[in-house]
Amino acid sequence: MSTDLLLDKRASTWVAPGGEPEWLRWFDELAELAAEERAARLAELARTQPELAARLARLFAADAEGPEGLSRPVAERAPVFVASAFVADAEPETPLPADRIGPYQLLALLGRGGMGEVFLAERADGAFEQRVALKLIKRGMDSEEIVRRFHRERQILARLEHPGIARLLDGGTAPDGRPYFVLELVEGEPIPSYCRRVKVSLEERLRLIIAACEAVDAAHRSLVVHRDLKPSNLLVTAEGQVKLLDFGIAKLLAETPEEWSTQHVGTPLTPAYAAPEQLLGEPVTMATDVYALGVILYELLTGRSPHPTGRSLATLARQDASEPTERPSAVLREADPKAADDEAGIPDRRRLARRVQGDLDTVVLAALHRDPARRYRSAADFGTDLQRFLAGRTVRARPDSALYRARKLVLRHKLAAAAMSAAVLSLVAGVAMSQREARIATAQAQRAERVKELLLSIFHEAAPEKGQGPELTARQILAVGSRRVEKELAQEPEVQAELLDALAQIDLSLGLYDAGSEAGRASLAGRRRLFGAGSAEAALSLTTLAEIEANRGHLDQAWRLAERTRPLLARHFGRESKEGLRLASIRLFLLGQRGEPDKALALGREMIARTRSRYGPRSVETGRWLYETAAILGDLSRFDEAQRAAQEGLAILEASPRASPLEVSFARRMLAELLATAGRREEAAAQYAAALAQQRAAVGPDHLEVAQTQIKYGFLLSEMRRYAEAERALRDAIRILEPLGHYDAGTARRYLGFCLMSEERYAEAEQELVAAERFLRQKVGEDHPLVWAARLSEGWARLRLGRLEEAERTLSQVVEHDEHHDPEGNEIRSALKYLGEVERRRGHAGQALALHRRAREIELKLFGTAAHLGVATSDYQIALDLLALGGRENLIAARRGIDPAIAFLRQSDPGHPRLDEFLVASGRIALAAGDRTRARQDLTEAVARLREHRGESHAATHEAAALLRRAG
């Protein structure tokens, strides 16, 4: 029998769920009473503590039946399976052993199960400090069969590796010969009690079950079926992570039927969560665990079990499929609101019923189907359908239809749905205070219905069965929609203009700037004709166009549009309105991009003060402006202030019920960027990983925002030299973005090129960089900074491939372009540095030196310090230039440059491969200066590092070894 551990934080004591002293006290007290008096006392107790009364009733039923019941079929004796549900041991409490077990000192008894006891223990051998849960076979239970089962549980745990499964840490044999194993100590509470206490939203409840599905799926992939999933085996930690415990009665799918048949009789289980096939003694599969997860989800949604009250579990096990479980939404509507709120922890049950009705009803009932073949085949499939529900996609559990798919395609694009819903609502706004207003409202309602019909028909026409091939992309659907809006709403210009603005914003979110600009300009023209150039409607279209042009990199044009609409928005809406805040955010971005960070910072601080005053210091609006202003502080290299602002903004958004998980992930991503820039890469990587997890849970794995986070995360992983992970992240981003036609697919390819360059896969890198430039040129125009950044990277690849003429031509183009557009920016300093390498390799060391010194001057202004990898790399290049020029003074100057570069890397990143190159350069300088001792010292270290980083056969290793031999 299994024992599950739970830390009750309110009582600050460890208890075994169902094994509290309270039930034992009641059992002892009521056991002495006559049957009638006991029944009366139980009925009285049920009014205040129904769960305790129900447990006691089942305990007395088991007590009355006696051991002869074990010979009956499982389904008939299901009511006596109280051992697994309530830890109802009759033997006296075992005292703690006086001495240690292995390296662990036992501190407290946490719980007792059918065959084992679990202790709180801590490591006592001085190796390190660690508190654990130690499971030990009970005295008197160490029969051959029990020991075999105990070892079996340990074997199962040893093969399971997943963050959502309590880890096996150690194992061994106690001094008295009893086996034990040591588990990760999980401090948490069962999912239902966590949801009741925190009163979490429907989305968060579903995410908890999705996390449970992922943990169970990890077990399934290791060929393990848990077979006893229940709330006490699924704990939620203080960090909100779900942890799966207790594989005491798990089944290995790899076993033969003969092996399992000897163990099936008498196997303990929890009837309330057991699948019908378990109760009837039929074979168990992965679908058995799906059933238990379905029961838990049903309880989280409704506050009650899906099993009808007053019916035996034997009847339930044989229930025909024609007697379906009541839908969760129906239960929510029928229940007494006050009592049900206490059970489920959700205050508005009617609203929840509306959200559960339909797809989620179907998903839950599919998991609870009587026939295992009709359930989800695995926990992974169950979790995927829940994720699809959260993302607004079609769920696989329900029969598909054209109308259903069309509705879901609309809902899938959240920005489109929100903007279009706003358009519909604006059409029916107002109260009919007169007959004329009533006629106007009726006409608006008719137009709104017309819009909805049009939108549904657009998505319906995109369905595969309409003969257009596979499911169309969002880009294709939007193109069809734009054409139809312009054609079919020509006689309804107000509605047409509003929908064109909405379509422009959706195009913007997908990086479809040409289409967005076209739709936005059509909307602006229509609104000016209808309402005038100074109208509120025209101001909204101008804002959309400003945002599109800003993202295209047309900064001057975007600024003119933003400045033109600023007084209009202030007059019609107010600066702190939703519309005013949107424009201010665009202006903040533009000021940063235009090289005016001081003005951007002033705007950011002004908006923080304004939102604090109007919305409150802990408002979502304030949180947004804090993390947006943090980006500007980062651009100013004020990293401490930037991190504080980002952390404060993130904390506000995390605590606010109004902030969506997606928005929280934006703030987390900003914090990660700042941490990465400040060199705190491990912390940054953790924040990126957390942001990705939030985004995938909120919108699914294929969303635009997931891809954009993957790009930044992949770049950081490449910088951390985790190249395989970086390549996976960047290729996944490309997979998501290219079908959308989003310009950031080019950015992802460029960063993939960086990763391949770092792995010295130069030819592959050049291919990716050329593809990136071509893609970006199509999406954002010839003169966009991203296009020139990609061209710079191409020059770098050609330099490394030894194609010096091509490299010089490409890099010179970049320098010439940046001389006019950004003469002290990041791209020009890199282009100068690479161009200097080209000149030195062609024998023009003097020209190389001038280029590298200019690059270093730009870097000092950019970074505000000499303690930066970019400056150190310039010092390295300058040292090589001086070495190539020769002469005593140049060698002295080279030494003065290379030593600080080596010292910087030793302190900041001693494992960095660039340090290998710096040491080789130092050895060369020492040889040229006749300092063989220093040469041997640096080259010996360089050879060892190169062997480790690049291998014995690498050309750089051979070159350094040859120099070392020259040094004697």
Side-chain angles (χ1 to χ4, degrees), residues 543-581:
T543 304
T544 298
L545 285 171
E547 192 169 8
I548 291 171
E549 296 304 324
N551 279 272
R552 294 179 83 166
H554 299 167
L555 304 182
D556 291 339
Q557 188 174 350
W559 183 256
R560 285 195 297 272
L561 289 166
E563 290 301 283
R564 192 186 310 168
T565 194
R566 184 154 62 117
L568 300 178
L569 283 179
R571 182 169 72 246
H572 292 296
F573 300 101
R575 292 193 64 185
E576 296 88 7
S577 65
K578 177 181 66 177
E579 296 80 7
L581 292 176

Side-chain angles (χ1 to χ4, degrees), residues 641-655:
E641 292 177 73
Q643 287 166 31
R644 284 197 297 271
Q647 286 165 341
E648 185 182 353
L650 175 59
I652 289 171
L653 293 173
E654 283 183 316

Side-chain angles (χ1 to χ4, degrees), residues 333-655:
R333 289 192 178 92
E334 294 167 2
D336 175 7
K338 292 184 179 178
D341 289 349
D342 292 338
E343 291 292 335
I346 298 176
D348 190 347
R349 295 179 67 82
R350 290 187 178 181
R351 179 174 178 271
L352 179 63
R354 290 194 297 271
R355 300 187 66 191
V356 170
Q357 182 177 6
D359 282 358
L360 196 52
D361 273 339
T362 307
V363 169
V364 175
L365 295 185
L368 292 173
H369 204 285
R370 163 67 186 85
D371 182 0
R374 298 285 301 279
R375 281 180 225 143
Y376 291 101
R377 292 181 300 171
S378 67
D381 289 347
F382 185 25
T384 297
D385 236 7
L386 291 174
Q387 287 177 327
R388 292 176 70 85
F389 172 82
L390 284 175
R393 300 174 69 86
T394 57
V395 298
R396 296 190 174 97
R398 71 176 290 157
D400 209 354
S401 69
L403 179 61
Y404 172 66
R405 188 161 51 253
R407 180 169 63 87
K408 281 298 179 180
L409 280 168
V410 175
L411 294 174
R412 186 181 307 171
H413 303 287
K414 293 186 176 181
L415 289 173
M420 293 173 182
S421 296
V424 171
L425 289 173
S426 71
L427 294 172
V428 297
V431 177
M433 299 298 292
S434 66
Q435 186 176 6
R436 178 175 176 277
E437 289 174 333
R439 285 198 302 271
I440 293 172
T442 300
Q444 288 175 332
Q446 290 171 346
R447 287 199 300 271
E449 188 62 32
R450 174 76 179 91
V451 169
K452 287 190 287 186
E453 289 175 2
L454 176 62
L455 294 176
L456 283 173
S457 67
I458 288 170
F459 288 105
H460 181 60
E461 288 298 318
E465 61 265 26
K466 291 297 179 180
Q468 300 191 51
E471 185 177 350
L472 299 181
T473 65
R475 180 182 183 181
Q476 293 166 321
I477 293 170
L478 288 169
V480 171
S482 294
R483 290 194 296 271
R484 291 192 59 184
V485 165
E486 290 189 20
K487 179 180 178 181
E488 297 182 28
L489 293 177
Q491 302 305 313
E492 301 170 78
E494 181 179 347
V495 181
Q496 183 188 62
E498 187 147 8
L499 281 181
L500 285 170
D501 184 67
L503 288 169
Q505 292 185 53
I506 301 165
D507 285 326
L508 167 63
S509 73
L510 295 174
L512 308 175
Y513 300 136
D514 290 341
S517 180
E518 183 179 347
R521 292 186 185 283
S523 172
L524 176 62
R527 283 173 160 173
R528 280 177 169 168
R529 282 194 304 270
L530 289 166
F531 309 108
S535 65
E537 291 80 3
L540 293 175
S541 290
L542 281 169
T543 304
T544 298
L545 285 171
E547 192 169 8
I548 291 171
E549 296 304 324
N551 279 272
R552 294 179 83 166
H554 299 167
L555 304 182
D556 291 339
Q557 188 174 350
W559 183 256
R560 285 195 297 272
L561 289 166
E563 290 301 283
R564 192 186 310 168
T565 194
R566 184 154 62 117
L568 300 178
L569 283 179
R571 182 169 72 246
H572 292 296
F573 300 101
R575 292 193 64 185
E576 296 88 7
S577 65
K578 177 181 66 177
E579 296 80 7
L581 292 176
R582 178 187 171 202
L583 179 64
S585 181
I586 297 168
R587 293 183 69 244
L588 183 84
F589 170 78
L590 287 170
L591 286 168
Q593 293 296 306
R594 285 161 58 92
E596 300 180 81
D598 293 329
K599 289 183 180 179
L601 181 58
L603 174 60
R605 287 181 166 160
E606 177 191 353
M607 297 311 297
I608 290 171
R610 286 178 175 272
T611 52
R612 279 175 172 159
S613 174
R614 175 163 178 176
Y615 297 101
R618 305 295 295 174
S619 65
V620 168
E621 290 77 10
T622 301
R624 289 170 187 156
W625 274 97
L626 278 164
Y627 80 74
E628 288 194 23
T629 305
I632 301 300
L633 287 164
D635 291 341
L636 290 165
S637 300
R638 295 160 66 168
F639 297 120
D640 290 342
E641 292 177 73
Q643 287 166 31
R644 284 197 297 271
Q647 286 165 341
E648 185 182 353
L650 175 59
I652 289 171
L653 293 173
E654 283 183 316

